[in-house]
């Protein structure tokens, strides 16, 4: 059964190759987008910038915890809009990996009751 799943996954990658979540270009198998890798790295929020303490919005004071993975720059906004409103769900896994890593690093996971996205 495992072998069948692996073959199916490889076949699906050839039929529907992975795409960059930011520029939508086809990615090499198990590769990253060379065109966007530097831009993406520069847009990643670091340290306290990712938490409520590093964010300057007064409305956040009512929340126990907030985290963000990226600066809301044009590339990120466009990717979020394509995901939410154009049905480009192929980027969901990669986006969730960034968010899950940040949540685990910054917030006490055992105390989380709910995780919600912010509307664009």
């Amino acid at each position: 059964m495992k072998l069948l799943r692996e073959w199916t996954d490889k076949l699906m990658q050839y039929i529907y190759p992975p795409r960059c979540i930011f520029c939508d270009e086809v990615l090499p198998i198990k590769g990253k987008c060379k065109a966007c890798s530097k831009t993406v790295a520069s847009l990643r929020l670091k340290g306290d910038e990712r938490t409520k303490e590093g964010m300057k919005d007064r409305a956040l004071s009512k929340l126990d915890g907030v985290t963000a993975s990226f600066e809301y720059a044009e590339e990120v906004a466009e990717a979020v809009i394509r995901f939410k409103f154009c049905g480009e769900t192929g980027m969901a896994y990669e986006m969730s990996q960034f968010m899950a890593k940040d949540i685990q690093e910054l917030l006490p996971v055992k105390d989380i009751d709910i995780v919600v996205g912010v509307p664009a």
Side-chain angles (χ1 to χ4, degrees):
M1 192 71 174
K2 184 179 176 182
L3 185 60
L4 179 61
R5 179 183 275 295
E6 288 175 9
W7 286 353
T8 303
D9 288 345
K10 286 181 182 181
L11 177 63
M12 293 306 286
Q13 284 184 354
Y14 286 108
I15 296 172
Y16 302 105
R19 295 183 167 274
C20 174
I21 63 174
F22 296 102
C23 71
D24 202 35
E25 289 295 317
V26 174
L27 297 176
I29 303 286
K30 295 189 179 185
K32 298 192 183 253
C33 181
K34 291 178 183 172
C36 292
S37 61
K38 288 182 183 176
T39 303
V40 170
S42 71
L43 295 175
R44 286 281 283 148
L45 295 175
K46 297 162 188 70
D48 286 344
E49 294 176 326
R50 298 181 291 176
T51 63
K52 181 170 66 170
E53 290 77 26
M55 297 175 190
K56 308 275 188 273
D57 193 333
R58 291 186 321 159
L60 299 177
S61 65
K62 305 293 184 208
L63 302 173
D64 292 331
V66 173
T67 184
S69 297
F70 292 95
E71 180 181 326
Y72 200 67
E74 183 179 342
E75 298 88 347
V76 175
E78 191 174 306
V80 170
I81 289 168
R82 286 194 337 261
F83 173 75
K84 290 175 75 172
F85 303 112
C86 300
E88 293 187 26
T89 58
M91 64 181 77
Y93 179 79
E94 191 171 346
M95 287 180 134
S96 69
Q97 294 303 302
F98 286 118
M99 292 184 280
K101 181 180 179 214
D102 290 341
I103 288 170
Q104 288 175 341
E105 287 179 7
L106 299 168
L107 301 174
V109 176
K110 66 181 181 353
D111 296 335
I112 294 175
D113 295 320
I114 188 169
V115 175
V116 296
V118 178

